[in-house]
Amino acid sequence: MALLQLDNVHAYYGNIHALKGVSLEVAEGEVVSLIGSNGAGKSTTLKTISGLLAPREGEVRLQGKRISGLPAHKIVARGVSQSPEGRKIFPRMSVRENLEMGAFARKSGAEIKGDTERVLDLFPRLRERLDQKAGTMSGGEQQMLAIGRALMARPNILLLDEPSMGLSPVLVDQIFDIIREINARGTTILLVEQNALKALEVATRGYVLQTGQIVLQDSAANLQRNEMVRKAYLGEE
């Protein structure tokens, strides 16, 4: 049984049909990448999973149980956490307070303290800036904080939306190394990423989304060799 499953999901923004029957699944322990051009529906897919957008048709299931239709905070409590596009950290709050906000649905102070230490071990830069206002940090540091905040929910599956957006090539490499480490530590990941080459390098499998529909799915290695993917998303002529 898949950890996360979308079955024929249709989602709308008003009268705009954004997702047109999307079906995908993520098994426990995988990194699955969702690639596609701007406006293809990648972020909409993540918003639908996390409860920020309710599907009009179809189902989202976590560990076989339907979560579509639940409010977002209850989906977080079930084990889905998202690092959103554009980071959306709380700029006037400290790094420490941002991390604490990631654990809002949890009760055990001892477990939260332990997970805070694990996040700070993963992101040593954040340890140096615990009392700093988050909005004064660099873009790369804010991205680390957004991922760290999502991990504070102790998710079964982590949704990452464009984690490399706006970062320098050196920082992009660092972020993808961290994604590998998060997965190696046992967290399943669904990754939306404009940098298709990096996304497929880190992934187990991938899906290609075009105008709200899945048009291709395969192992990451096969997608890297696929002629259509290479021309459309990997910049080859």
Side-chain angles (χ1 to χ4, degrees):
M1 182 176 63
L3 175 62
L4 176 73
Q5 191 168 18
L6 277 68
D7 184 16
N8 192 36
V9 168
H10 293 255
Y12 291 74
Y13 293 110
N15 292 322
I16 299 172
H17 196 175
L19 298 183
K20 305 168 185 175
V22 169
S23 297
L24 62 82
E25 61 180 42
V26 183
E28 187 170 354
E30 283 192 306
V31 178
V32 173
S33 290
L34 188 59
I35 63 175
S37 58
N38 286 333
K42 303 186 303 297
S43 293
T44 301
T45 300
L46 296 193
K47 288 177 181 177
T48 304
I49 294 167
S50 60
L52 300 175
L53 185 65
R56 290 195 193 174
E57 296 179 47
E59 285 190 351
V60 181
R61 293 188 292 274
L62 184 70
Q63 296 175 318
K65 297 180 180 179
R66 179 172 178 161
I67 60 171
S68 44
L70 293 177
H73 69 279
K74 289 190 176 180
I75 292 176
V76 172
R78 295 281 185 95
V80 178
S81 187
Q82 180 170 346
S83 175
E85 180 181 0
R87 297 147 199 159
K88 294 183 173 61
I89 48 95
F90 300 104
R92 297 185 181 182
M93 297 172 67
S94 69
V95 168
R96 187 192 310 274
E97 289 167 335
N98 270 269
L99 293 177
E100 289 171 350
M101 287 297 292
F104 78 94
R106 300 176 59 192
K107 304 299 182 186
S108 171
E111 288 183 358
I112 292 170
K113 184 176 180 180
D115 286 341
T116 301
E117 282 301 310
R118 279 186 278 275
V119 167
L120 296 178
D121 286 344
L122 194 61
F123 301 104
R125 195 83 60 88
L126 299 183
R127 188 185 295 278
E128 301 168 5
R129 289 159 170 73
L130 273 174
D131 297 317
Q132 184 174 334
K133 291 286 190 292
T136 66
M137 298 198 303
S138 70
E141 291 165 346
Q142 290 184 21
Q143 184 61 66
M144 293 174 189
L145 178 57
I147 296 172
R149 182 183 60 187
L151 288 172
M152 286 299 297
R154 195 182 277 189
N156 294 319
I157 184 165
L158 175 65
L159 311 181
L160 295 177
D161 196 352
E162 303 287 4
S164 77
M165 180 181 288
L167 302 184
S168 70
V170 171
L171 283 175
V172 170
D173 288 342
Q174 288 182 13
I175 289 296
F176 276 92
D177 285 344
I178 289 167
I179 291 170
R180 289 186 181 91
E181 178 64 22
I182 291 169
N183 180 244
R185 294 186 183 192
T187 301
T188 304
I189 296 171
L190 178 58
L191 169 66
V192 160
E193 175 56 53
Q194 193 71 21
N195 188 332
L197 180 60
K198 284 290 187 184
L200 292 175
E201 284 177 351
V202 77
T204 315
R205 295 185 300 109
Y207 293 84
V208 179
L209 193 61
Q210 290 182 357
T211 59
Q213 295 178 299
I214 300 290
V215 296
L216 187 61
Q217 58 177 298
D218 209 331
S219 70
N222 285 343
L223 288 176
Q224 288 183 69
R225 292 189 289 265
N226 182 277
E227 184 176 359
M228 184 272 283
V229 173
R230 293 173 74 91
K231 288 182 177 179
Y233 304 111
L234 302 184
E236 297 188 8
E237 297 296 333

